[in-house]
Amino acid sequence: MLHRYALACLLPALALLAAPAHAQFGAPAAPCAVGTAEALVQGTNVEAAVFTNGNLFYGNTRTGGNGYTAPLTASGSPSPMFAGGLWVGGLVEGEIRKAGAQFNRFEFRPGLTGADGVPPDSSACAAADVIGTLSRVSSANEPEDFLRWPADLGAPVVDGDGIEGNYDPRAGDQPAIRGDVMSYWAMTDTASERQDGERPLGIDVTVEAFADYGTALATETFYRFTITNRNTVPIVDTYVGFWADSDLGNAADDFVGTDTTAHLAYTYNSGE
C-alpha cells in the first residue's frame, strides 16, 4: 500500500568557501549542551515536530514514532516518518569531517559560530536554544511570538522602520515567513564534543521549516537549510544529504523506492 506524504528539502547549491574566521575547528574547550527546544509545524493536514538538536521528528517528547503525522485524524494519525535530518560532510585540509544527527547522536548545538570564528559558549548556546514559530493566521499568534522572533539568530525580517540590522516590531519591523506557518532555528557543529577523536566540520546551519494551509499541499512540509562554512579554508568535495528513517506503520514490512524523473523517494508496505 502506497501512501503519499511529502517531505521536501530545499538545499542551496553549495560552494562552501572559507569565511573570515580563526583556525580550523578542534574540540571545544567547553562543549555546549544538546538543545532541548522543540516546536510543531502544523499545516492543513500534517504535523511535524522540529528540534534544535539536529534531528527532525525525533527527540525530547517525540521519540515513539509520533513526530511526523499525516493525515491528521481524530482516531489517530499515521506517522510515515520516524526521524530525519541534515547530513553534511567534506574535506577540511584533506581531513574527512562531517556533521549531522541520528536518533541520539547529536553533532549540532543551538546557536551560531558567527563571522568571528569563535564558537558559542554554553551561555550563548542556551540563549539560542529557541525555535520561533509564526502563522499567517493572526489568531494563531500571540503578541509575544513577534517579540520573540529570533532575528538575532538570522531569522528573516521585513524592515519597517528603515534601520538596517535591528528588529523592532513595535516600530514596524515584521517577521518574514515562507508558506503559511514557519519555524526557524539556528545550529552549529563547532560547539559539540565528538567521539573517537573526530573534529567539527565547522559550519553554521539555519533552518526554515514551513507548511501551507491550502488543500493542494495539505500533507506536505518543507525545509530550507542555509549552510555557512566558518573555517578559514574551503570545505572540499562537500556532500549534503537528508537522512530519513521512514516507518510506514509496521517497520518490518516497509520497502523504499525512487522515481528519478520526479526527484522523488517513497516508502510503501509489502502488502503481505
Side-chain angles (χ1 to χ4, degrees):
M1 180 169 58
L2 176 66
H3 295 266
R4 180 181 177 273
Y5 311 115
L7 188 82
C9 296
L10 309 180
L11 298 176
L14 282 185
L16 291 186
L17 302 179
H22 294 171
Q24 279 58 268
F25 297 96
C32 290
V34 175
T36 59
E38 62 182 276
L40 289 177
V41 180
Q42 296 175 313
T44 302
N45 208 10
V46 61
E47 182 179 274
V50 296
F51 309 93
T52 55
N53 60 23
N55 271 341
L56 295 173
F57 325 131
Y58 180 94
N60 299 351
T61 62
R62 302 294 181 115
T63 57
N66 62 344
Y68 192 97
T69 52
L72 303 178
T73 63
S75 59
S77 302
S79 180
M81 292 294 300
F82 190 82
L86 179 74
W87 283 8
V88 186
L91 297 175
V92 178
E93 293 190 324
E95 178 184 357
I96 297 176
R97 301 193 189 189
K98 47 80 177 178
Q102 186 182 33
F103 303 122
N104 61 354
R105 183 167 179 169
F106 308 113
E107 295 177 346
F108 286 110
R109 296 293 184 267
L112 295 173
T113 300
D116 60 2
V118 178
D121 59 19
S122 57
S123 61
C125 287
D129 191 15
V130 296
I131 300 177
T133 301
L134 285 172
S135 168
R136 293 192 188 276
V137 178
S138 59
S139 61
N141 303 313
E142 298 292 336
E144 293 78 10
D145 295 334
F146 293 93
L147 296 174
R148 288 194 295 257
W149 186 243
D152 59 319
L153 297 174
V157 300
V158 176
D159 184 12
D161 61 5
I163 303 175
E164 185 177 354
N166 80 322
Y167 174 66
D168 186 356
R170 298 181 182 88
D173 292 336
Q174 299 180 37
I177 69 172
R178 299 177 187 272
D180 290 320
V181 59
M182 187 179 97
S183 289
Y184 177 95
W185 66 101
M187 306 180 296
T188 185
D189 87 314
T190 65
S192 61
E193 73 277 10
R194 298 304 180 88
Q195 300 179 11
D196 304 322
E198 292 182 350
R199 295 196 289 176
L201 178 61
I203 58 173
D204 288 347
V205 178
T206 60
V207 191
E208 299 168 50
F210 54 99
D212 188 70
Y213 287 153
T215 57
L217 300 172
T219 55
E220 281 77 7
T221 56
F222 300 85
Y223 305 85
R224 185 179 191 270
F225 300 93
T226 300
I227 305 168
T228 303
N229 177 19
R230 294 303 183 188
N231 291 284
T232 58
V233 297
I235 301 176
V236 180
D237 295 334
T238 308
Y239 283 82
V240 178
F242 188 86
W243 167 72
D245 178 8
S246 56
D247 289 349
L248 194 58
N250 178 14
D253 65 355
D254 285 351
F255 288 80
V256 295
T258 60
D259 183 341
T260 57
T261 59
H263 304 286
L264 178 71
Y266 55 89
T267 300
Y268 62 98
N269 292 148
S270 65
E272 297 179 357

